[in-house]
Amino acid sequence: MDDGVQHPTPDPVAEAVRQIRAHGERVTVARTAVLRVLADADEHLSADAIFAAVSRAAPGVHRTTIYRALDALERLDLVAFTRLRHDAATYHLAGHLVGGTHVLVRCRHCGTVGHAPGDLLDEVAARLAAEQGFTLDPTAVALTGRCDTCTKHPSTLTHARPNRPSTGRP
């Protein structure tokens, strides 16, 4: 029965491997290792963090190979990346592998990163498409603003460090 809701696949790595093969692409150790690291992660990871995790699981895989694997997996719509700041990209499994998309929100005062519902910008996307023929990809950037804690306690803003890495707090 199709209830119109995306559900996570039982094993997103196996599903991703199936899709790689369906596209006629090679299933490599690096691609599979990157997928496994992302599937096991509780947060979005930088390319360096992915490389470190893959190196523990599959020693000998070169950093360049990880970047190539990430590029290929993104091209195949199996991995998505989000820019948290002007220089920081993080990666995660594509929404269709894990039950749906989400939009990242980042507090510009304390650096906390959280998730917002994937349909949050649907009306904006529809308007852009209708008025400008533009297709929005809201998963490629993080929306910035002020988190609940920083909004409720503005006196702490003088102690906050802008662009601090995420504390992992949703």
Side-chain angles (χ1 to χ4, degrees):
M1 178 174 114
D2 183 7
D3 57 9
V5 176
Q6 285 187 335
H7 299 281
T9 58
D11 182 1
V13 174
E15 175 57 21
V17 166
R18 187 194 67 72
Q19 290 182 30
I20 291 170
R21 287 188 176 119
H23 281 94
E25 297 275 340
R26 293 180 311 129
V27 177
T28 65
V29 169
R31 290 178 182 182
T32 305
V34 166
L35 290 166
R36 177 55 55 204
V37 165
L38 291 173
D40 292 344
D42 292 331
E43 59 187 355
H44 296 228
L45 299 175
S46 68
D48 287 339
I50 294 168
F51 171 69
V54 168
S55 293
R56 288 189 297 276
V61 176
H62 193 274
R63 182 180 305 270
T64 303
T65 304
I66 299 304
Y67 280 102
R68 287 183 185 144
L70 286 166
D71 287 343
L73 294 169
E74 184 195 357
R75 181 178 41 80
L76 294 167
D77 193 30
L78 299 172
V79 167
F81 79 95
T82 303
R83 293 211 179 276
L84 294 178
R85 297 183 304 268
H86 61 85
D87 62 344
T90 61
Y91 296 85
H92 56 24
L93 290 180
H96 65 90
L97 294 173
V98 293
T101 59
H102 59 268
V103 176
L104 289 183
V105 293
R106 184 182 67 81
C107 179
R108 67 177 49 226
H109 297 282
C110 71
T112 297
V113 176
H115 295 133
D119 62 355
L120 180 70
L121 299 174
D122 284 357
E123 289 182 33
V124 172
R127 184 171 172 190
L128 281 170
E131 293 178 9
Q132 298 181 18
F134 185 84
T135 303
L136 180 67
D137 178 6
T139 64
V141 296
L143 301 176
T144 59
R146 190 177 292 168
C147 71
D148 186 50
T149 301
C150 290
T151 299
K152 288 180 179 174
H153 305 288
S155 63
T156 62
L157 293 180
T158 59
H159 302 291
R161 297 180 309 167
N163 297 326
R164 186 179 76 191
S166 171
T167 61
R169 183 172 55 98

